[in-house]
Amino acid sequence: MRQLLFGGILWLFAAVTAGADGEAAGDFDYYVLSLSWSPNWCAVEGDARGSEQCDPDRDLGWVVHGLWPQYEDGWPSYCRTSAPPPSHSLTKAQADIFGAGGAAWYQWKKHGVCAGLKAEDYYALARRAFNMVNRPEVLRKLTSPVRLPASVVEEAFLQANPGWKPDMLTITCREGRIQEARLCLTRDLEPRVCARDVRTDCRAGKALLEPVR
């Protein structure tokens, strides 16, 4: 009897584990478009990696970190999908907005699969979302590093994009630097209010912003 009970527990554990590999693709509520300030990422991480994104000739400012499917509370990742992975040529073609083809590949593998789209359609959607955002030109005119409140970066985005509200946008920091601007979008890519777990802004009073190289 004990052997039967133990065997049943093992079977139940195996069944639960098999069902926990990832959520079903296409089951989500909205998107977060995450834009990374490339000069800061390069200073913290990219330069040490020798990333192609950090080549001064690229002249990169804001780049797509990802277009992330979200729940109203939490987010899916590594979803189950029958969509084939993107080709090397397809991911390489996204380097102009993602910074590097490898970054585009990783975002598909972790987040893009959850959109319930083919890889080419997911990248096209990410490009459309990126192109609809007016990135503040004033930040590209910096000639030397500056320290400023994260709220100044948020206000620059709001001024460049009339119709956005503060609760649709989050500015994040990392290691005392401006890290990302995250815009919440409906599944039709209309700006919307961010859910509570996305809405916390960086409160740094003097966050470092490196200039475009």
Side-chain angles (χ1 to χ4, degrees), residues 39-56:
N40 277 4
W41 180 81
C42 290
V44 171
E45 189 173 342
D47 287 337
R49 290 185 182 184
S51 172
E52 64 180 272
Q53 179 177 330
C54 304
D55 185 335

Side-chain angles (χ1 to χ4, degrees), residues 84-102:
S87 65
H88 175 72
S89 60
L90 179 59
T91 56
K92 185 178 180 180
Q94 312 311 314
D96 62 321
I97 64 169
F98 280 86

Side-chain angles (χ1 to χ4, degrees), residues 77-116:
S77 60
Y78 301 106
C79 296
R80 303 186 303 275
T81 182
S82 59
S87 65
H88 175 72
S89 60
L90 179 59
T91 56
K92 185 178 180 180
Q94 312 311 314
D96 62 321
I97 64 169
F98 280 86
W105 159 254
Y106 179 78
Q107 287 302 311
W108 161 260
K109 181 175 69 171
K110 184 175 181 180
H111 299 286
V113 292
C114 297

Side-chain angles (χ1 to χ4, degrees), residues 9-48:
I9 292 172
L10 287 179
W11 177 86
L12 180 60
F13 178 78
V16 171
T17 302
D21 289 339
E23 295 85 348
D27 180 17
F28 65 98
D29 297 312
Y30 71 104
Y31 287 109
V32 167
L33 174 65
S34 179
L35 302 180
S36 171
W37 183 248
S38 185
N40 277 4
W41 180 81
C42 290
V44 171
E45 189 173 342
D47 287 337

Side-chain angles (χ1 to χ4, degrees), residues 11-195:
W11 177 86
L12 180 60
F13 178 78
V16 171
T17 302
D21 289 339
E23 295 85 348
D27 180 17
F28 65 98
D29 297 312
Y30 71 104
Y31 287 109
V32 167
L33 174 65
S34 179
L35 302 180
S36 171
W37 183 248
S38 185
N40 277 4
W41 180 81
C42 290
V44 171
E45 189 173 342
D47 287 337
R49 290 185 182 184
S51 172
E52 64 180 272
Q53 179 177 330
C54 304
D55 185 335
D57 291 339
R58 297 289 304 281
D59 192 36
L60 295 176
W62 296 103
V63 297
V64 176
H65 180 179
L67 181 66
W68 302 334
Q70 298 279 134
Y71 299 132
E72 294 297 341
D73 183 11
W75 58 89
S77 60
Y78 301 106
C79 296
R80 303 186 303 275
T81 182
S82 59
S87 65
H88 175 72
S89 60
L90 179 59
T91 56
K92 185 178 180 180
Q94 312 311 314
D96 62 321
I97 64 169
F98 280 86
W105 159 254
Y106 179 78
Q107 287 302 311
W108 161 260
K109 181 175 69 171
K110 184 175 181 180
H111 299 286
V113 292
C114 297
L117 302 171
K118 295 180 180 178
E120 54 266 36
D121 294 332
Y122 169 73
Y123 289 134
L125 193 69
R127 187 174 294 275
R128 180 180 153 206
F130 179 71
N131 287 337
M132 63 177 270
V133 175
N134 293 320
R135 278 89 64 193
E137 186 63 26
V138 64
L139 300 181
R140 292 191 58 89
K141 295 179 179 179
L142 297 177
T143 58
S144 59
V146 297
R147 291 189 178 275
L148 74 178
S151 59
V152 171
V153 177
E154 178 177 292
E155 185 59 32
F157 269 98
L158 295 177
Q159 289 186 7
N161 295 273
W164 290 14
K165 305 299 181 184
D167 54 5
M168 298 174 174
L169 178 68
T170 297
I171 305 299
T172 70
C173 296
R174 177 186 175 190
E175 298 182 13
R177 299 170 184 264
I178 298 295
Q179 181 187 26
E180 294 178 350
R182 297 177 179 176
L183 172 67
C184 296
L185 300 166
T186 68
R187 293 179 64 135
D188 294 326
L189 300 189
E190 294 294 328
R192 55 149 280 173
V193 172
C194 298

